Amino acid sequence: MSTKFIFVTGGVISSLGKGIFAASLGNLLKGSGLRVSIMKLDPYINIDAGTMSPFQHGEVFVTDDGGETDMDIGHYERFLDQSLSRANNVTAGQIYWTVLSRERRGDYLGSTVQVIPHVTNQIKHSVQLVSTQKEVDVVVAEVGGTVGDIESLPFLEGIRQLAIQEGRDNSMFIHLTLMPYVEASGEVKTKPTQHSVKELLSLGIQPDMIVCRTGRPLSVDIRQKIAMFCNVPPEYVIEGRTRKFLYEVPLALEKEGVVELVARRLHLKLGERQPSNLTSVVERLREPKKGAISIAIIGKYVKQHDAYISVHEAITHGGIANDVKVDIQYINSEDIDSHLDLTSFDGVIVPGGFGERGIEGKIKAIRSIREEGVPFLGICLGMQCAVIEFARSRCGLDGANSTEFDGDTVHPVIDILPDQKQIDDKGGTMRLGVYPAKVSEETRARRVYGAELIYERHRHRYEFNPRFRENLEEAGLSVSGISPDERYVEIVEVPDHPWFVGVQFHPELLSRPMRPHPLFQSFVGACLDYRARRTEEREDVQAAAAEPTRP
Ligand code: GLN
């Protein structure tokens, strides 16, 4: 069977949840015994998401091979339970970069270099690359942006050509659109969808399936109307209703018969259908048996929750593993002051980040969390802040800091290490992608991971400065994970605290709903214990107060 290509486009507005749809489709196809790969074509000019502000674009997701990719790649990995690579996120910047480099090398042998065919050929090549890198039955390729945008034109032209080249039975187009409900007339409107499909048709693309994003059930009449105006069989008009939990989407699409419809259109031979690996996940999300806990995320990108999407999801996975609902509160690290009582939370996370803003607030927060015994997980920058706080409070190293925030600090407990400084001259200093770490025996980290050798993804420039290790360890900070060559500190913890762990890497990037990351699982478990302990204490105090006092 030759590889099949499914192209997913979006119409009417952005933020329709195309990424979630593509990820859900991938999940369903994989669940039908097919080998699936999934990619995103991003029409922006940045070479990758690494230089884009999380305020604007959400989180930068890092792949095993160190690709700094769009956050949709994170959704793909979580829904497919499968690791992807940098090749799964192609940007217009990369395409143009390659074409221009080839032009400079003279590869085009004197011809005029044009959008068609040179840019479109490069786009086609990048999609085909994903289909040949590993043996796959289906490639799902999502085109970022909205149909009608100027910058997505070369991508739409590229996939149009590729679909012809691969043959009608081997490629299909799925278009996601918005189905707005107009309060005044009490109707769902199909006109925007009709216009968006016309736009696609004018580019030579006839969608084979239309997925309608809606807040309400899609009536038979509406389905028929769209089918008639947009040239698709009525059964290929799919209801894509908004769901409370992301992981419900594949189950809802399965009920709509999406897998069978795709299989019919592409002559796909489906394997034996297994019950969805998300059924039990959704059951636990809907009815957690152990009530709810609340966890605070203290960061500076809190207005844009997408900036912490993988952390958010990983906490949710930890909640699933512990059968508890987790309310996640976002707190701006610039707003941390003495009035904020962090002990009202059952646990606190300080996630990754860059730049000086809000750092002192994070350090202040970590100090009270450490002293009060609130469960704490510090991720990357969060771990660095924990080390700074410990150095200042417990080692008497006043003014200890990271050279990222204070280049002149007398106690650079976090610094760029000398070997990286040399690399700096060559350009790239960021430690990116998956690296092994050794976890020491008889530590919390070892109990959590249950293994000596672990692999985690990184994205940072600064490191724990080994010069201060002895000093910090003597004061009670345990270094429980290091790189196998013993150059880098990877995990620190405070043993005389109920649960206080800082990790230099990003565990959230490897957490999956059906396989929650052990650190998040253990952290959420600790938050549950902390809540139970506090409730008990409160009850004891109440009971003591109620006791009759002797006259
Ligand atoms: N800014 C810090 C560094 O570069 C931390 C990065 C992060 O949290 N991802 O080392």
Side-chain angles (χ1 to χ4, degrees):
M1 189 171 81
S2 50
T3 305
K4 312 285 183 178
F5 294 86
I6 302 174
F7 301 106
V8 179
T9 56
V12 186
I13 57 163
S14 58
S15 304
L16 274 179
K18 256 186 308 161
I20 298 294
F21 171 79
S24 301
L25 182 60
N27 170 284
L28 290 173
L29 294 170
K30 191 172 172 185
S32 307
L34 297 168
R35 294 165 302 176
V36 181
S37 195
I38 176 162
M39 69 185 302
K40 176 136 193 232
L41 301 163
D42 270 314
Y44 49 72
I45 302 290
N46 302 61
I47 298 289
D48 61 36
T51 54
M52 296 170 93
S53 161
F55 280 120
Q56 269 184 37
H57 201 72
E59 156 191 284
V60 177
F61 189 82
V62 181
T63 50
D64 278 348
D65 60 349
E68 295 180 279
T69 67
D70 186 86
M71 62 174 220
D72 275 336
I73 308 303
H75 290 310
Y76 300 166
E77 286 203 351
R78 285 187 283 272
F79 278 69
L80 267 84
D81 190 14
Q82 182 172 313
S83 291
L84 302 168
S85 81
R86 61 171 76 238
N88 296 76
N89 188 196
V90 174
T91 70
Q94 286 165 23
I95 298 288
Y96 280 101
W97 185 272
T98 311
V99 169
L100 291 172
S101 311
R102 295 189 61 196
E103 186 275 335
R104 288 292 85 186
R105 277 205 309 268
D107 287 2
Y108 296 116
L109 304 173
S111 52
T112 310
V113 181
Q114 294 177 298
V115 172
I116 303 170
H118 302 97
V119 169
T120 45
N121 281 353
Q122 192 57 40
I123 291 169
K124 287 193 274 181
H125 176 74
S126 69
V127 179
Q128 280 167 323
L129 193 70
V130 168
S131 74
T132 51
Q133 242 178 2
K134 267 193 204 151
E135 252 184 83
V136 288
D137 301 309
V138 185
V139 174
V140 178
E142 175 195 348
V143 182
T146 308
V147 168
D149 295 347
I150 290 177
E151 61 244 40
S152 54
L153 285 176
F155 284 97
L156 295 171
E157 172 61 11
I159 60 172
R160 184 193 71 80
Q161 291 180 17
L162 190 58
I164 295 172
Q165 230 167 285
E166 295 293 329
R168 200 183 135 67
D169 289 349
N170 295 330
S171 46
M172 77 179 280
F173 293 97
I174 301 182
H175 190 55
L176 241 81
T177 81
L178 178 73
M179 214 50 64
Y181 175 77
V182 177
E183 203 80 47
S185 58
E187 281 176 317
V188 168
K189 290 296 186 185
T190 64
K191 193 71 85 188
T193 298
Q194 296 177 39
H195 280 299
S196 169
V197 170
K198 275 213 181 82
E199 186 80 39
L200 260 185
L201 281 169
S202 74
L203 301 170
I205 294 174
Q206 164 66 57
D208 299 289
M209 178 184 278
I210 296 178
V211 179
C212 306
R213 292 286 290 108
T214 157
R216 303 162 178 264
L218 207 63
S219 68
V220 175
D221 287 355
I222 294 282
R223 286 182 203 247
Q224 272 166 352
K225 195 167 170 189
I226 294 171
M228 184 178 68
F229 283 114
C230 302
N231 317 321
V232 292
E235 66 270 27
Y236 279 79
V237 179
I238 304 296
E239 175 189 294
R241 195 143 37 106
T242 307
R243 301 282 157 183
K244 187 167 174 200
F245 304 109
L246 292 184
Y247 302 118
E248 283 180 276
V249 176
L251 306 179
L253 290 172
E254 186 177 26
K255 283 205 189 109
E256 286 280 301
V258 167
V259 184
E260 289 71 22
L261 291 164
V262 167
R264 199 198 307 160
R265 169 66 185 76
L266 289 174
H267 304 282
L268 269 168
K269 277 196 264 332
L270 298 179
E272 203 181 313
R273 180 109 190 98
Q274 304 296 325
S276 172
N277 53 6
L278 290 174
T279 308
S280 59
V281 165
V282 170
E283 272 167 16
R284 285 220 162 175
L285 284 172
R286 282 190 189 141
E287 279 175 56
K289 295 205 176 60
K290 296 194 189 143
I293 55 166
S294 83
I295 290 179
I297 295 182
I298 303 180
K300 73 168 178 182
Y301 312 115
V302 288
K303 279 209 194 96
Q304 159 65 295
H305 291 186
D306 277 351
Y308 301 115
I309 183 85
S310 289
V311 177
H312 191 112
E313 289 307 302
I315 297 172
T316 306
H317 305 162
I320 293 168
N322 285 282
D323 215 354
V324 66
K325 176 179 189 300
V326 188
D327 289 321
I328 300 171
Q329 305 280 334
Y330 288 88
I331 296 179
N332 189 339
S333 46
E334 288 171 291
D335 297 341
I336 301 274
D337 56 33
S338 39
H339 302 301
L340 187 71
D341 179 17
L342 289 167
T343 59
S344 61
F345 295 105
D346 301 310
V348 173
I349 291 187
V350 177
F354 291 82
E356 201 191 341
R357 220 166 83 206
I359 291 298
E360 290 304 323
K362 288 178 191 171
I363 292 172
K364 197 183 284 175
I366 293 170
R367 180 170 193 168
S368 76
I369 291 159
R370 188 176 53 73
E371 288 172 348
E372 299 291 339
V374 183
F376 168 77
L377 173 60
I379 298 173
C380 205
L381 178 68
M383 175 262 207
Q384 297 175 354
C385 289
V387 171
I388 296 169
E389 189 281 314
F390 204 85
R392 290 183 189 174
S393 313
R394 295 277 292 263
C395 305
L397 298 175
D398 285 344
N401 217 329
S402 162
T403 48
E404 179 178 6
F405 319 124
D406 179 3
D408 301 320
T409 172
V410 275
H411 306 301
V413 289
I414 305 292
D415 197 3
I416 293 189
L417 299 190
D419 46 342
Q420 286 170 291
K421 280 184 185 147
Q422 281 157 22
I423 307 172
D424 197 13
D425 301 334
K426 294 183 210 141
T429 49
M430 193 86 106
R431 197 140 72 99
L432 278 169
V434 89
Y435 285 92
K438 260 185 350 193
V439 186
S440 315
E441 272 175 45
E442 290 172 31
T443 58
R444 176 173 305 285
R446 184 62 173 264
R447 287 195 294 281
V448 166
Y449 280 96
E452 190 190 357
L453 192 66
I454 59 163
Y455 291 86
E456 293 283 359
R457 292 184 190 168
H458 291 247
R459 179 174 185 248
H460 56 101
R461 193 164 281 127
Y462 294 81
E463 304 281 351
F464 182 114
N465 188 344
R467 200 149 61 77
F468 292 89
R469 181 167 166 186
E470 217 179 290
N471 197 344
L472 285 153
E473 283 193 305
E474 271 167 16
L477 185 78
S478 152
V479 169
S480 51
I482 50 169
S483 62
D485 61 9
E486 308 202 347
R487 289 225 300 262
Y488 304 114
V489 168
E490 303 282 24
I491 312 175
V492 296
E493 54 190 73
V494 177
D496 63 5
H497 184 284
W499 209 102
F500 189 106
V501 178
V503 291
Q504 185 54 81
F505 43 80
H506 289 272
E508 72 276 19
L509 302 177
L510 290 180
S511 189
R512 315 259 163 92
M514 48 304 255
R515 248 166 357 105
H517 191 288
L519 266 177
F520 284 91
Q521 202 165 318
S522 170
F523 172 66
V524 171
C527 299
L528 253 172
D529 292 346
Y530 179 69
R531 187 193 59 173
R533 248 190 341 266
R534 274 189 317 164
T535 315
E536 231 169 69
E537 279 165 17
R538 216 177 302 131
E539 281 166 3
D540 284 353
V541 171
Q542 279 164 0
E547 211 139 286
T549 41
R550 222 184 277 230

